[in-house]
Amino acid sequence: MSTQEFLVRLTAPDGAWTLGPGTHLIGRSSRCDLTLESDPRVSKRHAQLTVAGRSIIVRDLDSRNGTYVDQQRIVGEHPLSAGATLTIGRRELAVSLVSWVDAPPKTKAKSSDRSEAGESWYRNMLASLPDSGEVSDHIEALTNANTTRDPPRAVRVAGWAVVLASTTHNGRWLDTVWTIYHRQSVLITAEQLAEVEHIIEGTRSATLQPLERYIVDVVTPIAKTDADAERTLRALKLIHAIMLDRTQYSAGPHSLRTRRPS
């Protein structure tokens, strides 16, 4: 039996956050994976959370006001379990584990940047995620150069990839999204595009080439005769400009040479 992957849900009175497998930085800085910028008691780099299967380890990064687990200040690393309370600054975060194949908790993140429709799509996609091996099988089939066109399946699997990009902050999942849609020669859905716009600033290690190929080869030709595609093209060019402004993204041979509007 394969090892089940889990997501960690941190729930506070003013919102909730879902973190996937990997190491996540928590703090006041916008460079953190989980940014708590409105709380002056939170250090710029306050704590680090590592998720691996059912294991959750929190580490205090020498923060000024400390990191607390169940009201006890920790030193260095400390294990977290489902049901524990993690306190950082003024926020008390209830810790829970969510399986990739289980529905997420009903409490949703309160974010002014994500629409109710987008949040509903996100929860539904998170609940529909199969195990990681099945995701990989679907992605491999849809990104194969010789694959047959299967737009409904492409939309479903690309949605999984967007959710994985959102929960892991790993840009390779966005590369996968653009590659799938490029192979299928169809437009990304409005819901998925809205989610990408929401997460792009906090996503790391993506590359420009897959997005550029998708824009140049697929979206631009469709946009010449389709108003919806024209709106999609403008949104994708803005995403491209945001990525281009960040040093971790490398321009590809199809570089669009766009810049973020001032």
Side-chain angles (χ1 to χ4, degrees):
M1 184 175 178
S2 60
T3 302
Q4 176 67 56
E5 296 285 0
F6 286 86
L7 311 176
V8 170
R9 188 76 165 172
L10 302 177
T11 305
D14 63 337
W17 298 264
T18 303
L19 303 176
T23 298
H24 309 276
L25 189 62
I26 303 172
R28 203 173 70 249
S29 170
S30 61
R31 295 181 178 273
C32 292
D33 302 307
L34 197 168
T35 303
L36 305 174
E37 59 186 356
S38 61
D39 189 344
R41 297 184 183 181
V42 177
S43 301
K44 288 184 177 180
R45 290 166 51 90
H46 195 105
Q48 178 178 288
L49 198 69
T50 301
V51 183
R54 289 182 176 273
S55 171
I56 317 168
I57 302 294
V58 62
R59 178 186 175 195
D60 182 74
L61 300 178
D62 297 323
S63 63
R64 176 179 296 182
N65 294 300
T67 300
Y68 294 77
V69 175
D70 294 332
Q71 309 304 318
Q72 299 295 316
R73 185 165 183 166
I74 68 170
V75 178
E77 294 187 348
H78 193 281
L80 272 179
S81 57
T85 299
L86 174 65
T87 304
I88 295 178
R90 295 192 179 99
R91 280 186 177 84
E92 292 190 350
L93 304 162
V95 180
S96 58
L97 280 173
V98 186
S99 169
W100 276 16
V101 295
D102 290 337
K106 293 181 179 180
T107 302
K108 70 178 183 179
K110 297 179 180 178
S111 170
S112 58
D113 296 330
R114 184 182 283 158
S115 67
E116 184 177 344
E119 188 69 40
S120 176
W121 168 84
Y122 178 86
R123 294 198 311 273
N124 290 339
M125 285 305 304
L126 183 59
S128 74
L129 277 172
D131 64 60
S132 57
E134 188 177 344
V135 171
S136 298
D137 290 343
H138 280 284
I139 288 174
E140 183 178 359
L142 284 169
T143 55
N144 188 301
N146 299 318
T147 190
T148 56
R149 293 188 75 247
D150 188 355
R153 184 185 182 200
V155 169
R156 185 172 67 255
V157 178
W160 295 339
V162 173
V163 170
L164 288 167
S166 179
T167 55
T168 67
H169 311 288
N170 190 329
R172 73 182 181 89
W173 293 113
L174 291 185
D175 293 347
T176 296
V177 172
W178 312 130
T179 300
I180 288 174
Y181 277 115
H182 182 266
R183 296 290 190 205
Q184 298 293 306
S185 298
V186 294
L187 294 178
I188 184 173
T189 68
E191 292 85 0
Q192 291 177 20
L193 182 59
E195 184 65 20
V196 172
E197 290 176 312
H198 177 76
I199 67 175
I200 188 62
E201 290 280 7
T203 304
R204 306 181 300 269
S205 304
T207 54
L208 282 170
Q209 292 92 328
L211 175 57
E212 290 174 347
R213 285 194 293 267
Y214 178 54
I215 291 174
V216 172
D217 296 343
V218 178
V219 183
T220 299
I222 299 176
K224 293 178 180 179
T225 57
D226 187 296
D228 288 337
E230 188 176 351
R231 287 190 289 271
T232 298
L233 180 60
R234 288 197 298 268
L236 290 175
K237 284 187 174 181
L238 181 57
I239 290 170
H240 180 273
I242 293 171
M243 292 171 65
L244 197 61
D245 279 349
R246 300 175 62 187
T247 57
Q248 67 261 47
Y249 297 105
S250 57
H254 296 82
S255 180
L256 302 174
R257 301 181 182 278
T258 57
R259 289 293 185 273
R260 188 188 307 193
S262 57

